[in-house]
Amino acid sequence: MSDSDDDYVYDEVTGEWMPASEMKALEAQRGAVVDAEGNPLADGDSVTLIKDLKVKGAGQTLKRGTVIKTIRLTDNKDEIDCRHEGIKGLVLRTEFVRKR
């Protein structure tokens, strides 16, 4: 079977039919978790805050430049789970972090 005989699948996001090989690459790209600069993030990475953030319920502000170590990815590609000096269950939006 050659590449021209590739099976076509329906992409529900774009509403178009495309070759299965292109669809796999597109799904991998859509599902990637990235920081504010577009760098891919993975479990265990360290990130730096790019903005001062007030932490709800903790009465604390995390300052720009604060390093957060050992992040965990969540089901939501726009959020990461982490821990910082006494703040358990801290969830940060990926738009406010940069990979170290």
Side-chain angles (χ1 to χ4, degrees):
M1 182 178 232
S2 67
D3 288 336
S4 62
D5 294 333
D6 199 9
D7 291 334
Y8 279 77
V9 292
Y10 184 73
D11 181 16
E12 294 180 9
V13 175
T14 63
E16 298 177 0
W17 288 91
M18 61 179 51
S21 57
E22 286 182 25
M23 184 67 171
K24 286 180 186 176
L26 188 60
E27 285 176 350
Q29 184 180 20
R30 283 184 191 150
V33 178
V34 294
D35 67 2
E37 297 177 349
N39 300 315
L41 296 173
D43 285 335
D45 283 348
S46 293
V47 295
T48 304
L49 297 180
I50 61 170
K51 179 181 177 182
D52 289 355
L53 299 174
K54 293 181 183 177
V55 181
K56 294 180 182 177
Q60 187 176 350
T61 300
L62 295 176
K63 299 290 185 186
R64 178 175 168 240
T66 301
V67 175
I68 305 291
K69 298 178 182 177
T70 317
I71 65 166
R72 289 178 304 282
L73 303 182
T74 64
D75 293 335
N76 183 345
K77 71 175 191 162
D78 295 327
E79 296 177 347
I80 55 172
D81 189 30
C82 52
R83 197 181 279 195
H84 179 73
E85 296 179 13
I87 304 173
K88 293 182 182 177
L90 180 62
V91 176
L92 296 174
R93 303 226 4 120
T94 56
E95 63 192 278
F96 300 123
V97 299
R98 179 180 66 232
K99 188 173 182 175
R100 287 199 63 180

